[in-house]
Amino acid sequence: MDYYQHDLALVHARGFGTHADRCAPGLLDLLAPVRGGLVVELGCGAGALTRHLLTAGHRVIATDASAAMLELAWDALGGEADLRQLTLPDDPVPAADAIVSVGHVVSYLPDAAAIDRALIAMAGALRPGGVLAIDVCDLEWGRVRAGAENYGRVGPDWAVITEYSTPAPEVFVRDITTFVPDGTGAWRRGHERHQNVLVDTTLIPALLGRHGVVARIGASFGAEELPPGLRTVIGVRSGGAGV
């Protein structure tokens, strides 16, 4: 399933980058022990968090599964970042001193087994003392949004309508309809169906522990509290300081 094709990638870049901006200070604090090392960002989108990482002086490999998102990131960052297309859980994660992600990237994988494989791949890519800081959707995400009303938002040159459903306790679905100018004076309508897999995040520290990462589950990156049901996974690879 191809998420964030051209039109939705554009809408997301123009209207939904503030989450990364708000999470950035807390993430940068977590990365202080590996300053000067290499940071791999998973699901970089249009580069909202990437810009903060670069400004803070980190060396960054920014990755995303969406080619459309990477094109927007290239335009936004002016070629400053090393941008690569990477699809979890099968594409190799580059060896790194830190792996970061916002936007519950792993929750877009097809099932819980794929999420576990992605987490194991991240653990294996971290160098000793390396920092892991990502977010992931817990089972609570679906419970608190059961029966949620549809959502709509309009920008100067885009509009989006999202319909929510929870077909199973471990599945949360967004049916997203976008409208963007088509270049002829009319508007083009697009649609994507996004399915998130929800997991019991309390099990993640034990999984990572078996692969050399001491981790804890939280609800914030620094002062930025995440929405209900969205959890942080913050850990350090064995051989460095604790979390």
Side-chain angles (χ1 to χ4, degrees):
M1 190 178 298
D2 292 329
Y3 293 122
Y4 291 104
Q5 299 178 50
H6 177 275
D7 288 359
L8 182 57
L10 187 67
V11 169
H12 192 275
R14 293 184 176 176
F16 296 88
T18 56
H19 174 65
D21 292 333
R22 295 193 301 265
C23 290
L27 278 164
L28 292 174
D29 286 345
L30 291 168
L31 298 181
V34 295
R35 185 173 300 279
L38 176 65
V39 178
V40 169
E41 182 185 0
L42 301 172
C44 67
L49 177 62
T50 318
R51 184 178 298 281
H52 290 280
L53 296 170
L54 291 168
T55 299
H58 291 287
R59 294 184 293 125
V60 182
I61 296 175
T63 74
D64 204 287
S66 165
M69 280 295 199
L70 290 172
E71 288 179 11
L72 291 169
W74 180 264
D75 291 341
L77 299 170
E80 292 181 61
D82 181 350
L83 300 172
R84 305 183 189 182
Q85 191 165 17
L86 185 152
T87 302
L88 295 170
D90 295 318
D91 288 349
V93 178
D97 299 290
I99 295 173
V100 301
S101 181
V102 298
H104 51 275
V105 171
V106 296
S107 300
Y108 278 87
L109 297 181
D111 52 40
I115 293 174
D116 285 353
R117 287 169 53 209
L119 292 168
I120 292 168
M122 293 178 212
L126 282 174
R127 298 182 178 122
V131 175
L132 176 68
I134 66 170
D135 56 13
V136 60
C137 290
D138 188 79
L139 289 166
E140 183 193 11
W141 180 274
R143 290 196 296 267
V144 300
R145 290 167 180 78
E149 295 184 359
N150 299 340
Y151 171 85
R153 189 174 167 194
V154 176
D157 56 357
W158 56 268
V160 62
I161 299 170
T162 305
E163 302 171 84
Y164 304 108
S165 59
T166 51
E170 73 282 2
V171 177
F172 183 77
V173 174
R174 298 177 183 86
D175 281 294
I176 306 171
T177 302
T178 56
F179 299 88
V180 298
D182 69 355
T184 68
W187 289 73
R188 179 173 63 247
R189 175 175 176 167
H191 177 266
E192 291 190 26
R193 183 177 177 88
H194 286 203
Q195 180 170 299
N196 289 152
V197 174
L198 316 179
V199 298
D200 182 352
T201 56
T202 65
L203 303 177
I204 291 177
L207 172 69
L208 290 173
R210 293 193 293 272
H211 295 273
V213 174
V214 179
R216 57 183 168 85
I217 303 299
S220 67
F221 286 121
E224 177 60 20
E225 291 287 332
L226 301 188
L230 188 59
R231 303 282 194 266
T232 58
V233 181
I234 298 170
V236 172
R237 177 80 187 184
S238 299
V243 293

